Amino acid sequence: MSTLAHTMMTAARHADSGLAGPGELDRYPYTETPGSDRVGAPHWDGADVELSRVGRRAAGSRGRGLHGQLVQQLGQMIVSGDLGADRPLVPEEIGQRFEVSRTVVRESLRVLEAKGLVSARPNVGTRVRPVADWNLLDPDIIEWRAFGPQRDDQRRELGELRWTIEPLAARLAAGHGRPDIQQRLADMVEIMGHALGQGDAITFARADNEFHALLIQVAGNRMLEHLSGIVSAALQVSGSPITACDRPSETCVAHHARMVEALAAGDATGAENAMRQLLTVHPEVERVVPAPREH
């Protein structure tokens, strides 16, 4: 075993991976926090009955002040559909129902406006905007969708986006011969192989994650690298597997090894095909790539 592999595997055994495993999504730190500064759950009756349907995770402070908590609650209510498109949001009413100041309400609505969730216009007021106007790559919106009724749609969309990004990155990477990166990619495959043999899922996942991060880096496209980072963060929040393999397997290691060979040979088509085969192993991606339709 190489020194790098030994070091990485040893470190992984003594640290929390931070990756959400099966059944761990509900343990995401998004629970209610008691305290006098917590925004109270709304009880809007009558015509505003739908405004009282706040998800259990929306009430959590997660270390945020009143402003952050109000953004969190209103944002999740909008994303979940509890506050539908074109719904008017009256600042005075929000302040009364959530027992916060006008300043807190005003600043919170500004944040939501920056995310594309609401719009404020003179003589019209603040209203909820349709989904088409939302910034769906905003980290908060990604998180709110992950815990709402659109969770399945988000995971599918992330899979489709990944199916587009990573094969392209593999093709581009084949045209950039950097011996140091090539060696590092080969090291990651070696580490994955050793981790598989020892049943070390944490080290396997870390090496797999670094492999894909390196591949995006060597592709030489900074916009692609930025978009890939957003997708990776979104996968982590949504509970989807962050790496290409949802579990260690010989097939997964073999696909990575073939990709390294293609990259070393400058075979752009081979590298792209190897990545597509690798992603197809992923159960989420299998649903993304349906069989051809019969006409």
Side-chain angles (χ1 to χ4, degrees):
M1 182 188 301
S2 68
T3 302
L4 174 62
H6 181 271
T7 300
M8 190 169 181
M9 295 178 74
T10 301
R13 296 191 190 99
H14 297 283
D16 179 12
S17 68
L19 304 179
E24 293 183 349
L25 185 59
D26 287 340
R27 299 212 301 270
Y28 193 84
Y30 208 129
T31 53
E32 292 192 5
T33 301
S36 59
D37 64 341
R38 181 175 62 84
V39 175
H43 298 285
W44 294 2
D45 302 319
D48 297 317
V49 64
E50 74 266 29
L51 293 178
S52 66
R53 298 168 52 205
V54 182
R56 65 182 178 88
R57 293 184 176 89
S61 66
R62 301 183 63 201
R64 307 180 187 187
L66 289 176
H67 163 262
Q69 293 179 50
L70 185 57
V71 169
Q72 186 83 359
Q73 288 199 355
L74 291 177
Q76 191 168 29
M77 291 168 73
I78 293 171
V79 170
S80 68
D82 289 344
L83 295 177
D86 207 37
R87 171 68 190 241
L89 299 178
V90 182
E92 293 77 10
E93 184 178 358
I94 293 174
Q96 291 177 357
R97 300 300 184 179
F98 287 90
E99 299 181 354
V100 294
S101 69
R102 295 171 59 183
T103 300
V104 170
V105 174
R106 183 170 59 251
E107 292 302 317
S108 298
L109 291 177
R110 285 179 180 174
V111 172
L112 295 175
E113 185 175 15
K115 297 177 184 296
L117 295 179
V118 304
S119 62
R121 291 180 294 175
N123 303 321
V124 175
T126 302
R127 292 182 176 271
V128 177
R129 300 174 70 176
V131 178
D133 294 339
W134 299 355
N135 178 8
L136 295 180
L137 293 180
D138 180 276
D140 283 334
I141 295 180
I142 289 171
E143 180 177 332
W144 297 332
R145 292 186 77 200
F147 293 116
Q150 300 178 31
R151 176 183 176 185
D152 290 341
D153 288 339
Q154 177 176 269
R155 295 182 69 170
R156 173 184 55 78
E157 291 166 2
L158 287 171
E160 292 171 346
L161 189 57
R162 188 175 186 185
W163 179 259
T164 301
I165 291 173
E166 297 202 50
L168 173 61
R171 169 175 285 277
L172 294 176
H176 295 75
R178 288 186 53 182
D180 57 333
I181 299 295
Q182 294 283 355
Q183 182 58 53
R184 186 72 178 180
L185 290 170
D187 289 341
M188 292 304 106
V189 175
E190 179 187 0
I191 292 170
M192 292 169 66
H194 284 295
L196 175 64
Q198 296 189 12
D200 187 350
I202 292 177
T203 299
F204 188 97
R206 285 182 167 179
D208 191 4
N209 197 21
E210 181 167 347
F211 182 98
H212 289 265
L214 286 169
L215 191 67
I216 296 291
Q217 178 183 343
V218 77
N221 187 313
R222 295 196 175 180
M223 294 183 68
L224 191 65
E225 184 175 354
H226 178 71
L227 188 58
S228 176
I230 293 175
V231 173
S232 179
L235 287 168
Q236 187 170 19
V237 169
S238 67
S240 300
I242 301 172
T243 56
C245 303
D246 59 336
R247 63 182 62 88
S249 69
E250 293 183 359
T251 300
C252 184
V253 176
H255 284 316
H256 282 86
R258 279 195 287 272
M259 202 178 314
V260 169
E261 293 173 359
L263 292 172
D267 181 1
T269 301
E272 180 179 2
N273 290 338
M275 178 61 80
R276 292 193 183 280
Q277 291 176 344
L278 176 62
L279 291 176
T280 304
V281 173
H282 195 300
E284 291 295 324
V285 179
E286 288 179 355
R287 297 203 298 268
V288 170
V289 190
R293 297 179 181 178
E294 295 183 1
H295 297 284

